[in-house]
């Protein structure tokens, strides 16, 4: 009986102790401040760049082909048998170098005949001059008739004409004889010979003998869309782009595997008409080609300097994204350090940056990192960062 009463008192004491602990814990919880209220939210630090205008030379790469600066087709100007080829195929030749020798014998004979005819005409003229001089005194004394004197003077004039014709014949014969020595009309590189020794060439058909091409400098023929040409001219006229001091755009030839030709050329002219089939305008430039490093007909890319933009705005490509409409956008730190979304006009890529023609102004702070963690309207703490220029 006493044992049972002891167990009941122990149970009651334990229950009272548990209740007191619960009441004390609840009082402590009510008196403690919330943890969230103790720590104030901090603005996210974001890296920004400040947009500043800079001078930029705009370039554009265009496809094209090289062509010889001058091409001379060496053709026969007299008929005859080729006696000798005096050059090595593929070698460099100079203007006036002998390339072929055509049999000169017939033309030497023609020259000798023309000279003999000239001598006979000169002798006849001398006799006519002497006779006219003698008759001039006789007609004054009426020793001969006026008609006889007039006929003598006419014969004198005819003899002079015969001499002039004979002189022209001699000159023609000399020219034809000179044409038997076929020379190079220009400096350049000669290709393969079309004819060999023993071949018969004709003056009437103007038989092709060989071709000489001048390879230094070299033409670069390009094509550019008419829309881009008109835009470029409008930018130059308005002053948004400035022409180079040289007056003509610089041209750099780019070969395969990004190899750049060491010599810098220049743009010579732009065609005045548009190709109706392609909508492009033909451009032609020249580039120095010492040592004939470039060959005619080579497919190349040409980097063309269009002009200089004195106040270009450039931002890193990593700071630009596209929205659902495909428009270029960027996040900018606006008033009260809150994020703003800007719609940009990004006209072209320049290295690893975009050229911005609308949507930004000088002094704007463009966010370049933590772009996935922020959204328009949130407060941020801008921290300037350094980015590679190109």
């Amino acid at each position: 009986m006493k044992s049972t009463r002891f167990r009941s008192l122990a149970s009651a004491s334990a229950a009272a102790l548990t209740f007191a602990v619960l009441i004390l814990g609840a009082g402590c919880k009510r008196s403690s401040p919330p943890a969230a209220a103790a720590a104030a939210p901090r603005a996210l630090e974001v890296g920004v760049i400040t947009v500043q205008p800079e001078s930029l030379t705009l370039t554009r790469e265009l496809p094209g082909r090289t062509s010889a600066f001058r091409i001379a087709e060496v053709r026969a100007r007299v008929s005859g048998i080729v006696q000798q080829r005096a050059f090595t195929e593929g070698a460099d030749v100079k203007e006036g170098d002998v390339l072929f020798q055509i049999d000169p014998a017939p033309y030497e004979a023609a020259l000798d005949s023309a000279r003999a005819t000239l001598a006979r005409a000169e002798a006849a003229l001398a006799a006519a001059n002497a006779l006219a001089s003698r008759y001039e005194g006789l007609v004054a004394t009426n020793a001969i008739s006026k008609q006889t004197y007039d006929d003598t003077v006419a014969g004198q004039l005819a003899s002079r004409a015969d001499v002039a014709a004979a002189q022209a014949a001699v000159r023609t014969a000399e020219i034809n004889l000179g044409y038997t020595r076929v020379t190079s009309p220009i400096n350049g590189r000669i290709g393969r010979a079309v004819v060999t020794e023993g071949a018969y060439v004709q003056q009437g058909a103007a038989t092709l003998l060989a071709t000489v091409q001048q390879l230094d400098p070299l033409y670069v023929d390009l094509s550019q869309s008419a829309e881009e040409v008109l835009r470029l001219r409008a930018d130059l006229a308005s002053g948004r782009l400035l022409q180079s001091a040289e007056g003509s755009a610089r041209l750099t030839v780019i070969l395969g595997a990004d190899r750049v030709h060491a010599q810098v050329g220049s743009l010579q002219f732009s065609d005045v008409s548009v190709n109706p089939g392609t909508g492009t305008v033909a451009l032609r430039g020249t580039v120095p080609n010492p040592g004939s490093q470039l060959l005619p007909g080579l497919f190349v890319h040409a980097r063309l300097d269009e002009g200089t933009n004195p106040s270009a705005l450039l931002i890193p490509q990593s700071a630009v994204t596209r929205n659902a409409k495909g428009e270029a956008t960027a996040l900018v730190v606006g008033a009260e350090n809150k994020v703003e979304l800007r719609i940009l006009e990004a006209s072209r890529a320049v290295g690893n940056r975009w050229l911005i023609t609308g949507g930004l102004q000088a002094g704007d702070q463009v966010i370049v990192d933590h772009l996935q963690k922020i959204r328009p309207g949130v407060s941020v703490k801008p921290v300037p960062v350094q980015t590679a220029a190109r």
Side-chain angles (χ1 to χ4, degrees):
M1 187 71 175
K2 186 181 292 187
S3 175
T4 301
R5 184 179 303 173
F6 179 77
R7 285 195 298 269
S8 298
L9 289 175
S11 299
S13 299
L17 181 60
T18 300
F19 179 75
V21 170
L22 291 175
I23 293 298
L24 181 60
C28 292
K29 289 183 179 179
R30 281 195 299 269
S31 62
S32 300
R42 296 177 57 188
L44 177 65
E45 290 187 356
V46 293
V48 299
I49 62 167
T50 302
V51 179
Q52 296 293 344
E54 59 183 274
S55 179
L56 173 67
T57 299
L58 297 180
T59 62
R60 186 173 296 277
E61 286 192 11
L62 301 173
R65 285 193 181 275
T66 58
S67 59
F69 189 74
R70 287 195 294 176
I71 301 177
E73 292 184 340
V74 181
R75 296 182 177 271
R77 306 177 73 175
V78 292
S79 300
I81 302 296
V82 177
Q83 289 184 330
Q84 181 186 9
R85 188 193 77 189
F87 66 91
T88 301
E89 294 175 319
D92 291 329
V93 296
K94 295 182 179 180
E95 181 179 353
D97 286 353
V98 177
L99 305 179
F100 294 92
Q101 177 64 58
I102 299 174
D103 184 9
Y107 301 97
E108 291 173 347
L111 177 59
D112 291 341
S113 176
R115 285 171 176 169
T117 301
L118 174 60
R120 185 166 51 251
E122 290 174 341
L125 176 60
N129 289 336
L131 184 61
S133 179
R134 186 163 49 250
Y135 279 5
E136 185 177 4
L138 295 175
V139 73
T141 60
N142 294 323
I144 59 172
S145 66
K146 185 75 163 83
Q147 181 63 47
T148 302
Y149 176 71
D150 291 341
D151 291 343
T152 302
V153 172
Q156 182 187 29
L157 296 176
S159 296
R160 289 178 181 174
D162 290 341
V163 169
Q167 289 174 339
V170 169
R171 180 61 182 152
T172 300
E174 290 174 344
I175 292 173
N176 289 335
L177 179 60
Y179 286 161
T180 61
R181 298 175 72 253
V182 182
T183 60
S184 174
I186 62 173
N187 297 333
R189 179 166 294 182
I190 193 167
R192 67 181 182 87
V194 182
V195 299
T196 61
E197 293 85 350
Y200 179 73
V201 296
Q202 301 181 36
Q203 176 186 10
T207 305
L208 178 63
L209 306 179
T211 302
V212 180
Q213 301 182 72
Q214 181 178 342
L215 305 183
D216 185 19
L218 208 63
Y219 280 132
V220 182
D221 297 316
L222 311 168
S223 60
Q224 187 175 20
S225 71
E227 181 180 354
E228 291 177 352
V229 171
L230 295 176
R231 177 192 55 78
L232 176 59
R233 290 178 178 175
D235 289 344
L236 290 172
S238 65
R240 287 191 296 268
L241 289 181
L242 304 179
Q243 190 72 39
S244 63
E246 295 82 0
S248 59
R250 289 161 53 91
L251 183 147
T252 304
V253 175
I254 304 173
L255 306 174
D258 295 330
R259 291 186 296 112
V260 177
H261 184 58
Q263 304 295 325
V264 177
S266 60
L267 183 66
Q268 296 299 307
F269 79 92
S270 173
D271 206 349
V272 296
S273 59
V274 179
N275 187 322
T278 61
T280 58
V281 175
L283 309 176
R284 167 166 279 188
T286 58
V287 59
N289 188 33
S292 301
Q293 298 176 358
L294 302 178
L295 299 177
L298 189 65
F299 179 79
V300 297
H301 280 80
R303 184 181 297 125
L304 191 65
D305 290 355
E306 295 182 338
T308 301
N309 186 340
S311 56
L313 300 180
L314 297 166
I315 63 173
Q317 292 187 12
S318 59
V320 179
T321 58
R322 299 281 175 175
N323 59 19
K325 297 180 180 179
E327 298 171 322
T329 63
L331 296 177
V332 178
V333 178
E336 299 180 357
N337 287 343
K338 290 187 177 181
V339 178
E340 296 179 2
L341 179 66
R342 298 281 183 87
I343 306 297
L344 309 180
E345 294 179 12
S347 61
R348 66 168 69 182
V350 179
N352 62 356
R353 299 187 292 176
W354 281 109
L355 174 63
I356 305 302
T357 56
L360 290 178
Q361 296 180 353
D364 285 343
Q365 292 182 315
V366 178
I367 302 174
V368 295
D369 60 9
H370 298 304
L371 299 177
Q372 296 80 10
K373 299 180 181 180
I374 57 177
R375 64 183 184 276
V378 303
S379 297
V380 293
K381 180 181 179 181
V383 177
V385 298
Q386 298 293 331
T387 59
R390 283 173 178 78

